[in-house]
Amino acid sequence: MSNSALLEMRNIHKSFPGVRALQGVDFTLRHGEIHALMGENGAGKSTLIKVLTGVYGKDEGQISLEGSAVAIHSPQDAQKVGISTVYQEISLCPNLSVAENIYIGRTAGICQNWKKMNDGAEKILRSLEIPAKATQQLESCSIAVQQMIAIARAVDMDCKVLILDEPTSSLDEQEVAKLFKLMRDLKKKGVGIIFVTHFLDQVYEVCDRITVMRDGKLVGEYAIKDLPRVQLVSKMLGKELDDMADIQDEQQAYKREEGAVPVLEAEGLVSDAGIKPFDFHIDKGEVNGFTGLLGSGRSECVRAIFGADRVTGGTVKKNGKPIKIAKPLDAMKNGIAYLPEDRKIDGIVGDLSVRDNLILAQQVLKGFFKPFSKAEANKFADEYIKLLSIKTASADTPIKSLSGGNQQKVILARWLLTHPEYLILDEPTRGIDVGTKVDIQKLVLKLASEGMSVTFISSELDEMLRTCSRLVVMRDRKVVGELKGSDLNQNKVMNTIAGGEK
Amino acid sequence: MGATKTNNGNIFSKLIKQQLFIPLAALLILIIFNLIMDPSFLKITLGYNNIGNPVLSGYIIRILDNGSEVAILAIGMTLVTAASGGQDISVGAAVAIAGSVLLRVLCGSNTHPETLQAPIIVGFLVSCLVAMLFGAFNGVLVAYFKIQPMVATLILYTAGRSIAAWVNNNELPIISEASFGYFGGYIPGIPVPTPLIIAVACMVAIGLVLKFTNLRLYTQAVGINESSSKLNGLNPQLIKLLSFVILGICVAVVGLIKVSRNSTINYSVIAKDIEMDAILAVALGGNALGGGKFSMAASIIGAYVIQLLTTTLFKFKVPSDALPAYKAVVVIILVVISAPVVREWFSSMIKKFQTKEVA
Amino acid sequence: MSSKQTTSKPDGMKNGLRNMTDTNLLLTITIAIFFIMYIGAMIFLGSGFRRPQMFFSILNDNAFLIVLSCGLSIVMITRSIDISVGGITALITMCCAVYLDYKGGNVFVSLLLALAIGLAFGLFQGFLIAYLDIQPFIVTLAGMFLARGLTTIVNTNPFNVANEKFVALKNTRVIIPGLGYVTKAGKYVDAYIEIGVVVALIVVVVLFCMLKWTKLGRQFYAVGGNDQSALMLGINVKRTKFLAHLLCGLLAGIGGFVCFLHVGSGAVSNGSGAEMNAIASSIIGGTMLTGGVGNIAGTFFGVLSLSAIKKIVSSAGFDEAWYTGITVAAMLCLFLIIQSVVIARKKKH
């Protein structure tokens, strides 16, 4: 392994309205190494990568490749200097053929030689054992195959730097193994690979070095052998280790009253989002959670409970009485609230003010012909801004100009305002700052102690272990187990998720 | 930079950021321009028309009178734009249908009746119902079949005038009853043109609706983020449909005024290109044509700006056929000024200039 | 997913459909419907439709629409729209007519004039849409206003062009051998097409090849399919959008001249409603409004279907104007719904 720097990024700054996404970040990539870029959601990994690939312009800082400064203003520039990228969300054109997606935008000449292109694509697909035909329309491939095609494109570009931004989240084990073999081959050829992932095992399997980021700042760069897992986690989480202790103290062991009727009970519930029928129940004042890998169906389950996807079967009982939930409004009327997984797409109404966002759900419940008066709306807004200490210039500020954490608090306030009996929180801590994460977890426990039932979902297992007294474990869109009491520990949960034991 | 300077800058930039700024500024500029060219521009006189009724006359009255139709349509168009993120291009054709239905009900089978075959209110209600149905047709295509509004309404745009002709077997009924002419002219004893009164009534009605219902909040929420509003218990499809139905009501009202102005109908000419003016009014009002937040007042002012512009051009002997060219120039200037890219460029230029000044 | 395994199996009819690209699927539907319609007309409406000349006169009347629709298809494939082409057509006919008649100018220069007008509009609108990021609908709406207004400023009254060379060109007929018919009086009449049709066919072939076999053509599809992805794949999205509008402007120039050749006069009313007919033709031809899907061959059949149905309606005795309007709208409605249903169903599998 040579030790010369291939890519150097120095003192990179980038801000968005309301957020300082990157603050003076340095990053170095050497020839022929696989370099993990680690950090929690919202740490700034994706922003750093988008700056490197020219999707975002940087506010400050230098980027140099093989010792000479490069100016990258667009993804095209990045491709030209030899940086190719596979993004987390697939960025291919669904209406074009597989072969076109591999070659478009990077070959010279005016004319398109279909035969040559299809042959070339077929060769690449075969060499990487991707189960797709070159002439197939991309849309007709599964997501995993599409991801492999994106990787094939990047690999075929004779790049110097290959960026893989969470490419493995939709791949199965065999596909991951194939990808790793490919990465090692490229490494031998001297290509520098930046690998962003959430799976620690994968980092320790293929990577040589690790750069850790937190809250838009660089934490440090380490050789893999110098940084054991526990330390990596604590570096990623930062000060949070102390706060964890706090929460642990507050958690009271939940005791089920004998013979109590569950607040909500579902049997054989199934929706059109592709989950297997599942049973579920939650008691008064209980905090439980759905856990499983990304895409295991945990969000789809709670969406089915809330009626967000089309429910195709099953029965739901509330406090013992059967109810019918066909659409979100039905659920809301029955005292269920749902904070959705994707804040930007499903949560905030970007251009509307904090006040309007806050009162929206309660207003819908109240009815079309009964708008809140200005005074009432302001009262609610002021009350909850204070209660959840939401940082906003005023209640009139459009919610999109708030930081992620504060946006999430507004959405949370929206649902608290409806005084639900049962609150579903789907990834409430994703992409927000550490302080707010702790606030939200504390709030969940407080609400539960006041008698609210809460379902809490998080990608971060320790958050769930801290807050939930019962975990429903999911794998492959199916409920595979339920853990409580002494079973609630990292190992047991991991094992159940992986399906190692029953 | 000194504190006073930033303060000044703030006030100015706040003023510019106000949505009403552009339409009001345009209105003001046009009025001042007209006043310079003709000091009597704002003068209103009370006279008597040929049948001895008191009427107000003057340029301003004429603008307010003729601008009524576009103003009324702008109300519905604003809602459609906000909810669906697109525009309805079939309103002109729909006005033809509404007018034709109205005449059909009032005239019955006879094309030149001595007396009306039905009370005017019945005719209006029927035409209202028909217009709402056609609005609902557009709305269903947009909301449930997820067809872009402009293209969905292309269907009615193509068929509308034909349907209007078919309703009356391609004949041109004429109504001689004087009371029918009140809606497009003057009610005896009231010197204000009736279309203006109707327009104001519509504005008051929509004002009340916006105040006493959640129409504004729901429409904006659906227009900005459909999936999020769905998860908040709203029914985005229904709200889009509703906006098209409301536009249908506006269409029926405009149909009544248009037909009443002429006492008859010309299927291919009635309300021609009015959809473009209505969309323009919404755009002039600074409302995002991609949907979302809206200001009803700004759209209505936008409508009168268009009428003022038209009247001004007429005053300078611009032939009516050439009007679109001038309108186009105004539109292009406006959209270029309000384009985010251009605004960003401007503000970066100003920043550069300021930093240079400081240095 | 289960659907993945089925695709690799030897496929039946259903899988064949599923493996088809959206573009080809919609194209097949259009062509099938056109032939069913036309053959139906031949059977039920009789003599007129059995003569090949009926088909050729449909072509003659709509050659300019074919050219305009091609331009529309291209901008629609890149997920944009242009509603100014009808206005541009009117402006071109008027400018050319005035130039040829008043100044006694030469026909070739008038062609250049037509192309220049079209390109100027394409350039201007393309710049505003692609680089200033303004909504295409509003920009081209202004373009339409501008073109229509300018037309009347150039000249208000319609008039026929008497320029000899032009009239000679206008009346040039390309005889199609062997497809003529014998009139009741026993006279043999040759089947013919006009020069405009030849131009339109060349345009169709050239554009078909361009969309299929050039980088630029494929980039139109990529940008329309997903412009964010296209950007990530290294395509200059803004330039591609700009070029699409420029090309549409150029085609409006050609189409305008073809229209001028066909009608032989300058008039404000020339090409009125052409933009909507062109959009409708493109949709019927399988161009998706959501971008990224479409085919010039489909557009060609789209224009033919649209024009044929008009002809059929009027030949069937419903010759009053409103029937055509309603039928065309109904047809458009049908195709829009087919598109939305077909695509939604395909997505589900």
Side-chain angles (χ1 to χ4, degrees):
Chain A
M1 204 194 308
S2 96
N3 250 348
S4 62
L6 168 63
L7 171 82
E8 284 188 294
M9 297 175 82
R10 289 283 164 266
N11 195 29
I12 305 292
H13 284 263
K14 174 75 193 171
S15 321
F16 297 107
V19 201
R20 295 177 68 187
L22 294 176
Q23 300 170 45
V25 176
D26 292 345
F27 181 79
T28 311
L29 181 71
R30 291 161 186 78
H31 282 283
E33 75 167 358
I34 301 177
H35 196 132
L37 185 57
M38 302 291 291
E40 284 190 289
N41 281 317
K45 296 165 299 186
S46 286
T47 313
L48 185 70
I49 281 167
K50 287 191 170 164
V51 166
L52 178 58
T53 53
V55 178
Y56 297 149
K58 57 186 185 299
D59 298 342
E60 225 180 286
Q62 299 87 38
I63 302 176
S64 56
L65 196 65
E66 294 182 318
S68 52
V70 285
I72 297 170
H73 299 297
S74 70
Q76 275 167 300
D77 291 349
Q79 279 187 18
K80 267 181 214 145
V81 297
I83 300 173
S84 47
T85 317
V86 177
Y87 293 96
Q88 182 180 1
E89 64 278 16
I90 290 159
S91 49
L92 298 173
C93 292
N95 58 329
L96 300 183
S97 76
V98 169
E100 279 185 283
N101 270 299
I102 294 178
Y103 285 105
I104 200 165
R106 64 187 185 92
T107 46
I110 295 169
C111 288
Q112 179 88 288
N113 186 336
W114 282 88
K115 194 172 160 8
K116 199 174 131 203
M117 187 175 76
N118 285 338
D119 289 350
E122 205 67 65
K123 209 182 283 169
I124 297 167
L125 292 175
R126 233 174 311 151
S127 71
L128 300 182
E129 294 170 45
I130 301 171
K133 275 184 277 183
T135 51
Q136 205 176 350
Q137 190 175 344
L138 185 83
E139 210 170 25
S140 62
C141 301
S142 71
I143 297 292
V145 172
Q146 291 189 23
Q147 188 66 278
M148 293 296 284
I149 291 166
I151 294 167
R153 175 187 161 93
V155 168
D156 189 52
M157 285 188 1
D158 290 330
C159 50
K160 293 177 195 144
V161 178
L162 174 64
I163 303 167
L164 301 170
D165 187 357
E166 294 192 41
T168 50
S169 52
S170 58
L171 303 186
D172 66 24
E173 256 170 67
Q174 290 173 337
E175 288 164 325
V176 169
K178 236 182 271 171
L179 175 65
F180 284 174
K181 180 175 170 294
L182 194 74
M183 285 165 71
R184 293 198 186 97
D185 289 348
L186 289 170
K187 179 177 143 182
K188 272 182 210 136
K189 289 185 199 153
V191 175
I193 299 175
I194 303 173
F195 186 45
V196 182
T197 181
H198 275 126
F199 300 106
L200 296 185
D201 290 346
Q202 298 182 352
V203 171
Y204 283 90
E205 194 180 336
V206 286
C207 295
D208 303 310
R209 294 180 150 282
I210 303 177
T211 291
V212 181
M213 291 179 70
R214 192 174 63 237
D215 297 334
K217 293 186 198 117
L218 178 73
V219 174
E221 190 197 312
Y222 313 91
I224 197 99
K225 56 181 185 298
D226 301 340
L227 192 71
R229 279 178 198 223
V230 185
Q231 274 197 32
L232 171 61
V233 172
S234 83
K235 299 247 188 251
M236 282 164 66
L237 300 179
K239 289 182 301 199
E240 208 188 352
L241 281 171
D242 304 335
D243 298 319
M244 283 180 206
D246 275 9
I247 294 178
Q248 218 110 42
D249 293 342
E250 281 178 36
Q251 188 187 4
Q252 309 137 338
Y254 174 77
K255 285 191 195 74
R256 185 164 190 234
E257 288 167 48
E258 283 306 312
V261 183
V263 168
L264 194 92
E265 195 175 8
E267 235 172 87
L269 200 60
V270 59
S271 77
D272 65 348
I275 40 166
K276 305 272 168 11
F278 68 98
D279 299 341
F280 176 77
H281 71 93
I282 188 162
D283 296 319
K284 191 172 163 59
E286 185 189 4
V287 181
N288 70 2
F290 282 90
T291 184
L293 295 176
L294 213 72
S296 60
R298 39 180 214 214
S299 290
E300 285 78 359
C301 281
V302 289
R303 285 178 70 92
I305 294 171
F306 190 66
D309 294 323
R310 210 163 60 78
V311 177
T312 49
T315 54
V316 182
K317 276 190 227 161
K318 198 187 144 217
N319 296 328
K321 268 181 265 160
I323 54 169
K324 200 173 151 10
I325 295 177
K327 53 182 191 292
L329 190 59
D330 300 339
M332 287 160 65
K333 282 186 179 149
N334 281 300
I336 304 175
Y338 168 59
L339 185 135
E341 180 184 14
D342 194 317
R343 185 176 62 238
K344 280 218 176 72
I345 293 174
D346 291 332
I348 63 167
V349 183
D351 289 321
L352 286 188
S353 66
V354 169
R355 186 194 318 111
D356 285 345
N357 268 288
L358 211 147
I359 62 166
L360 187 58
Q362 180 63 13
Q363 182 69 81
V364 172
L365 271 175
K366 204 177 165 204
F368 183 74
F369 293 103
K370 292 176 194 147
F372 285 123
S373 70
K374 264 226 165 88
E376 280 175 301
N378 277 329
K379 205 189 91 212
F380 287 137
D382 293 344
E383 186 187 330
Y384 278 90
I385 287 174
K386 205 183 276 167
L387 186 72
L388 300 182
S389 49
I390 298 169
K391 288 193 196 73
T392 171
S394 77
D396 280 319
T397 316
I399 192 171
K400 65 177 177 188
S401 61
L402 269 56
S403 74
N406 283 306
Q407 289 181 3
Q408 195 67 287
K409 282 181 179 174
V410 175
I411 307 300
L412 194 57
R414 171 196 290 170
W415 291 112
L416 293 183
L417 184 59
T418 64
H419 302 293
E421 280 175 71
Y422 174 35
L423 176 65
I424 304 169
L425 301 171
D426 193 354
E427 296 260 16
T429 56
R430 177 194 277 191
I432 61 179
D433 54 290
V434 174
T436 314
K437 282 185 188 190
V438 175
D439 287 351
I440 287 179
Q441 292 170 49
K442 283 182 181 165
L443 185 72
V444 165
L445 293 173
K446 184 168 155 269
L447 291 169
S449 70
E450 288 164 9
M452 195 185 285
S453 312
V454 183
T455 291
F456 184 87
I457 297 177
S458 170
S459 291
E460 291 166 52
L461 191 56
D462 44 335
E463 273 185 13
M464 301 201 45
L465 290 173
R466 250 174 278 143
T467 44
C468 302
S469 57
R470 180 161 59 92
L471 283 183
V472 178
V473 184
M474 299 203 62
R475 184 185 343 124
D476 297 334
R477 313 198 148 241
K478 202 161 66 195
V479 174
V480 291
E482 198 176 295
L483 301 171
K484 56 186 161 194
S486 59
D487 284 344
L488 281 181
N489 60 62
Q490 199 108 8
N491 278 340
K492 186 81 184 171
V493 176
M494 289 288 193
N495 275 332
T496 318
I497 290 175
E501 57 180 42
K502 181 68 198 149
Chain B
M1 260 187 284
T4 46
K5 198 174 172 188
T6 40
N7 226 355
N8 275 341
N10 271 346
I11 290 170
F12 189 63
S13 62
K14 251 187 196 163
L15 193 67
I16 288 189
K17 269 188 195 147
Q18 284 289 319
Q19 208 186 339
L20 283 174
F21 176 75
I22 286 187
L24 277 179
L27 199 66
L28 213 64
I29 291 170
L30 278 170
I31 290 177
I32 291 171
F33 177 76
N34 272 298
L35 269 178
I36 294 169
M37 305 310 278
D38 174 9
S40 70
F41 179 72
L42 288 176
K43 215 168 102 185
I44 297 172
T45 50
L46 185 64
Y48 292 89
N49 65 3
N50 45 12
I51 45 170
N53 287 326
V55 292
L56 291 171
S57 59
Y59 281 114
I60 289 294
I61 295 295
R62 204 192 301 164
I63 289 163
L64 290 175
D65 182 5
N66 292 334
S68 311
E69 286 100 321
V70 177
I72 294 168
L73 286 179
I75 293 172
M77 194 65 85
T78 308
L79 289 176
V80 165
T81 303
S84 70
Q87 288 75 36
D88 183 342
I89 59 168
S90 71
V91 289
V95 166
I97 297 176
S100 187
V101 168
L102 177 64
L103 285 179
R104 173 81 196 181
V105 174
L106 294 186
C107 297
S109 49
N110 184 354
T111 49
H112 298 83
E114 296 293 313
T115 53
L116 296 179
Q117 304 294 307
I120 295 173
I121 181 72
V122 172
F124 173 68
L125 286 179
V126 172
S127 80
C128 215
L129 196 69
V130 171
M132 282 160 76
L133 275 178
F134 279 106
F137 171 75
N138 285 334
V140 166
L141 287 181
V142 170
Y144 293 93
F145 286 92
K146 312 240 178 290
I147 300 171
Q148 288 174 2
M150 203 207 99
V151 178
T153 52
L154 178 64
I155 296 171
L156 193 57
Y157 174 93
T158 321
R161 289 177 193 280
S162 302
I163 295 173
W166 169 71
V167 168
N168 274 311
N169 285 321
N170 212 11
E171 282 161 16
L172 302 177
I174 295 172
I175 288 181
S176 37
E177 174 88 20
S179 64
F180 184 67
Y182 293 165
F183 297 98
Y186 293 85
I187 297 169
I190 299 174
V192 182
T194 323
L196 176 57
I197 298 174
I198 298 177
V200 170
C202 289
M203 290 172 210
V204 171
I206 194 70
L208 291 177
V209 168
L210 288 179
K211 184 153 172 56
F212 291 107
T213 71
N214 282 312
L215 187 65
R216 178 189 294 276
L217 182 66
Y218 287 14
T219 309
Q220 291 186 153
V222 167
I224 297 167
N225 189 336
E226 192 173 331
S227 107
S228 148
S229 25
K230 198 180 140 208
L231 287 179
N232 279 293
L234 292 177
N235 184 343
Q237 278 108 357
L238 198 66
I239 287 162
K240 285 185 191 173
L241 184 63
L242 181 68
S243 71
F244 277 93
V245 172
I246 293 175
L247 180 58
I249 299 173
C250 298
V251 161
V253 175
V254 171
L256 174 69
I257 297 175
K258 279 279 181 204
V259 175
S260 168
R261 277 192 204 273
N262 304 323
S263 295
T264 182
I265 191 167
N266 181 334
Y267 304 113
S268 56
V269 175
I270 183 176
K272 193 163 191 291
D273 290 342
I274 203 168
E275 56 273 357
M276 303 305 172
D277 279 349
I279 295 169
L280 211 63
V282 176
L284 265 178
N287 295 303
L289 291 175
K293 287 199 91 167
F294 66 87
S295 157
M296 195 56 83
S299 291
I300 293 169
I301 295 174
Y304 286 109
V305 170
I306 293 169
Q307 193 57 44
L308 182 54
L309 180 68
T310 313
T311 312
T312 310
L313 290 171
F314 273 140
K315 238 178 120 186
F316 290 97
K317 304 274 183 306
V318 172
S320 66
D321 292 334
L323 269 182
Y326 295 89
K327 270 190 201 164
V329 174
V330 175
V331 176
I332 290 168
I333 291 171
L334 276 171
V335 292
V336 169
I337 291 175
S338 52
V341 180
V342 179
R343 286 198 170 183
E344 226 163 77
W345 184 79
F346 261 117
S347 59
S348 75
M349 287 303 281
I350 290 170
K351 249 186 209 159
K352 254 185 205 165
F353 185 72
Q354 278 176 345
T355 47
K356 250 183 206 168
E357 208 175 42
V358 172
Chain C
M1 262 184 250
S2 61
S3 70
K4 281 287 82 54
Q5 272 107 46
T6 50
T7 43
S8 54
K9 275 182 201 161
D11 43 5
M13 175 67 186
K14 240 186 174 174
N15 277 325
L17 269 183
R18 200 175 301 152
N19 283 344
M20 225 171 190
T21 57
D22 295 347
T23 306
N24 291 345
L25 181 65
L26 291 173
L27 175 66
T28 317
I29 295 176
T30 309
I31 295 179
I33 289 189
F34 170 73
F35 278 107
I36 292 168
M37 213 166 64
Y38 204 87
I39 292 168
M42 283 165 92
I43 296 168
F44 296 108
L45 294 175
S47 64
F49 278 91
R50 289 190 199 139
R51 283 182 201 144
Q53 183 57 39
M54 178 63 99
F55 179 73
F56 294 124
S57 56
I58 289 177
L59 275 181
N60 287 338
D61 293 342
N62 293 289
F64 83 101
L65 190 58
I66 293 174
V67 181
L68 295 183
S69 302
C70 289
L72 248 308
S73 294
I74 287 170
V75 290
M76 281 162 71
I77 285 170
T78 56
R79 203 188 297 191
S80 186
I81 196 87
D82 188 339
I83 55 168
S84 67
V85 292
I88 298 174
T89 302
L91 180 61
I92 286 171
T93 59
M94 188 57 90
C95 288
C96 290
V98 168
Y99 169 76
L100 285 178
D101 222 47
Y102 289 1
K103 302 269 168 15
N106 112 14
V107 178
F108 182 67
V109 176
S110 75
L111 171 64
L112 289 184
L113 182 67
L115 297 184
I117 293 172
L119 272 178
F121 270 88
L123 199 75
F124 184 60
Q125 295 180 156
F127 175 75
L128 291 186
I129 292 165
Y131 291 101
L132 298 190
D133 212 8
I134 304 174
Q135 284 214 3
F137 182 74
I138 290 302
V139 170
T140 55
L141 176 68
M144 178 179 89
F145 276 165
L146 190 65
R148 293 238 177 255
L150 286 177
T151 312
T152 56
I153 291 174
V154 174
N155 193 337
T156 327
N157 301 321
F159 66 98
N160 288 321
V161 176
N163 185 309
E164 277 170 26
K165 278 185 190 153
F166 174 76
V167 174
L169 186 65
K170 170 179 158 45
N171 290 335
T172 308
R173 292 175 169 186
V174 180
I175 307 289
I176 312 283
L179 291 178
Y181 64 97
V182 181
T183 61
K184 276 184 190 145
K187 204 177 142 212
Y188 181 79
V189 182
D190 275 318
Y192 70 93
I193 51 174
E194 291 173 7
I195 299 281
V197 178
V198 179
V199 174
L201 292 177
I202 292 172
V203 165
V204 168
V205 171
V206 168
L207 288 179
F208 181 83
C209 295
M210 195 207 83
L211 284 183
K212 180 95 188 159
W213 284 296
T214 68
K215 295 272 153 64
L216 183 64
R218 302 319 294 173
Q219 287 179 6
F220 288 150
Y221 283 94
V223 169
N226 185 337
D227 55 354
Q228 279 308 308
S229 292
L231 185 70
M232 305 280 198
L233 292 176
I235 292 167
N236 189 335
V237 172
K238 285 182 177 173
R239 196 187 62 193
T240 311
K241 277 189 183 165
F242 173 72
L243 287 176
H245 279 276
L246 191 65
L247 193 56
C248 182
L250 177 67
L251 289 169
I254 299 173
F257 194 77
V258 169
C259 176
F260 180 51
L261 260 184
H262 180 66
V263 297
S265 65
V268 180
S269 63
N270 280 347
S272 74
E275 57 277 342
M276 296 305 166
N277 279 330
I279 293 172
S281 304
S282 290
I283 292 169
I284 293 173
T287 310
M288 291 276 289
L289 293 149
T290 42
V293 178
N295 190 314
I296 292 296
T299 306
F300 178 68
F301 280 99
V303 178
L304 287 184
S305 302
L306 191 77
S307 323
I309 193 114
K310 283 183 185 170
K311 206 78 170 190
I312 290 170
V313 169
S314 60
S315 309
F318 304 103
D319 47 357
E320 295 194 65
W322 72 76
Y323 284 109
T324 350
I326 294 171
T327 334
V328 169
M331 188 164 164
L332 184 62
C333 187
L334 178 74
F335 272 88
L336 278 172
I337 290 173
I338 288 179
Q339 275 192 10
S340 100
V341 170
V342 163
I343 298 303
R345 176 156 292 197
K346 242 189 107 178
K347 285 256 162 65
K348 245 190 183 164
H349 283 291

